[in-house]
Amino acid sequence: MPRPKGSKNKVRIPKGGAVDLASMIAEKNAEKDQLNEEIASIQANINDLKAQLKEKRAALKAADKAVAKLEAQKTAAEAKAAQQARQAEIDSALQKLISDGMSVDEILDKLK
């Protein structure tokens, strides 16, 4: 079988007349304009989302600071309550020892 002559990539002109290049150029330009508009729209959407992300990160940072501050206050309050509980326990133990008839000197010796 003989090889066909000519390039496979050759632009084929349809039978029946000339190609309307002006209309093809107009179609491609319209397609190009539409793609540019879509790109601009997507870019604007990305910028809006970036701004929202920045705001949300700032709010998250503020919330983290508030949580850390409250946790520190909670820890301090728990430590203070524990100290007061120990002090009350010591006071009650001292009152019990005094009521049992021990002198202050004997209690101090016991503590050493």
Side-chain angles (χ1 to χ4, degrees), residues 21-106:
L21 293 177
S23 66
M24 291 175 74
I25 291 172
E27 287 177 17
K28 293 298 178 182
N29 281 336
E31 184 180 337
K32 179 182 157 187
D33 291 340
Q34 181 184 7
L35 289 173
N36 281 334
E37 289 174 7
E38 289 177 7
I39 289 171
S41 172
I42 291 170
Q43 189 67 34
N45 193 13
I46 288 172
N47 290 337
D48 291 341
L49 292 175
K50 282 182 182 179
Q52 288 178 2
L53 179 63
K54 186 175 182 180
E55 291 172 6
K56 297 294 181 182
R57 282 186 176 160
L60 177 63
K61 189 174 182 180
D64 284 342
K65 284 182 181 181
V67 167
K69 184 178 178 181
L70 291 173
E71 286 176 350
Q73 288 176 350
K74 179 184 174 188
T75 304
E78 288 173 350
K80 185 176 180 181
Q83 180 66 26
Q84 289 176 348
R86 279 189 240 122
Q87 184 65 34
E89 184 181 329
I90 291 171
D91 288 344
S92 66
L94 285 175
Q95 289 298 329
K96 183 178 178 188
L97 290 174
I98 290 174
S99 66
D100 286 344
M102 288 186 107
S103 69
V104 175
D105 291 333
E106 291 172 341

